[in-house]
Amino acid sequence: MRLVFAGTPEPAVPSLRRLIESSRHEVVAVVTRPDAVAGRGRKVSRSPIGVLADEHGIPVLTPRRPSEPEFIAQLEELAPDCCPVVAYGALLPQRVLDIPRHGWINLHFSLLPAWRGAAPVQSAILAGDEITGASTFQIEAGLDTGPVFGTVTEKVRVTDTAGELLERLSHSGAHLLESTLDGIEDGSVHAVPQSLDGISYAPKVESEAGHIRWEEPALAISRRIRAVTPAPGAWTEADGKRLKLGPVDMVEEILPERSIEVRKSGVFIGTATTAVRLNQVQPQGKKMMNALDWARGARLQPGAVVA
């Protein structure tokens, strides 16, 4: 089939790469978000999907909005049979959805109808799900409501960060997406309406979601930190300064809530239940470092607390 692939961030790369290498399909163009300023140097950079397309000489379309007449005309001229989508990052108007004869097929990183929305992987970790996965479905007007072609499951490991889990799902999901497109082409797969039971939503995770609430139980704190790692990142305030936190260890000890204790064996903080031990932290304006090294340099006063 003639494909126009839509996607933007790194987790979409395995899917595009797999489709480029497919002998059954031809990626005739890629749609991605416009080049944006990123990084400390504030340089304009291409999206990961745009970079991969450039490497293979595939035309790249970067509309600010998919409703732009110029983009619609380009898509109509390309005449795709189907448009696979992985984390594109923009809503598609009905006029655009109607162009390919097989529609737009989205790879979503949850077992629909669970965790519809922008942050399914983060939400699964935060909720303590033991199993998650990825789904391919037909895009329609509703938010991730379309009928499902197929799924793949993935165990959520107790140490998983959102980044680690998404990395695994991006590869297993790429295989699922290719299989779905193969099945659509030969008529061997058909979409099934989503169940009305088990619907849940996963809104975009903002920076404030990474602010650790030390009045929560240690398990909830550990999940929250893993859910927002690597982005937007977990943080707290210590000695009046923001401190970014990497995943923590839970320990069988009770400390006063929010209190910081520095020992030879590590840096510990009290929660609503048992304490947690910090591993890697990042003070403002510095790189990630061992928590003990940070604590020694910060020279925390006795009775110091986090906020």
Side-chain angles (χ1 to χ4, degrees), residues 27-130:
V27 180
V28 297
V30 157
V31 183
T32 191
R33 300 298 292 154
D35 297 355
V37 174
R40 291 189 176 184
R42 308 306 293 165
K43 295 181 179 179
V44 176
S45 60
R46 194 76 139 167
S47 75
I49 283 298
V51 170
L52 181 59
D54 290 341
E55 291 173 354
H56 288 82
I58 299 171
V60 178
L61 310 180
T62 58
R64 292 192 177 278
R65 288 178 295 275
S67 59
E68 293 175 355
E70 182 181 357
F71 169 68
I72 293 173
Q74 290 174 316
L75 193 61
E76 289 175 334
E77 185 175 352
L78 287 165
D81 296 309
C82 190
C83 294
V85 185
V86 186
Y88 170 47
L91 294 177
L92 302 166
Q94 191 62 47
R95 185 176 175 187
V96 168
L97 294 178
D98 292 338
I99 292 175
R101 63 190 180 95
H102 289 298
W104 294 68
I105 309 303
N106 192 24
L107 172 65
H108 183 75
F109 297 116
S110 80
L111 297 175
L112 292 170
W115 304 128
R116 295 172 176 174
V121 174
Q122 294 94 327
S123 295
I125 292 176
L126 191 60
D129 291 356
E130 295 182 356

Side-chain angles (χ1 to χ4, degrees), residues 8-15 48-49 86-87 107 109 166-167 169-171 174:
T8 298
E10 192 65 37
V13 167
S15 288
I49 283 298
V86 186
L107 172 65
F109 297 116
L166 186 54
E167 170 71 13
L169 286 171
S170 71
H171 289 280

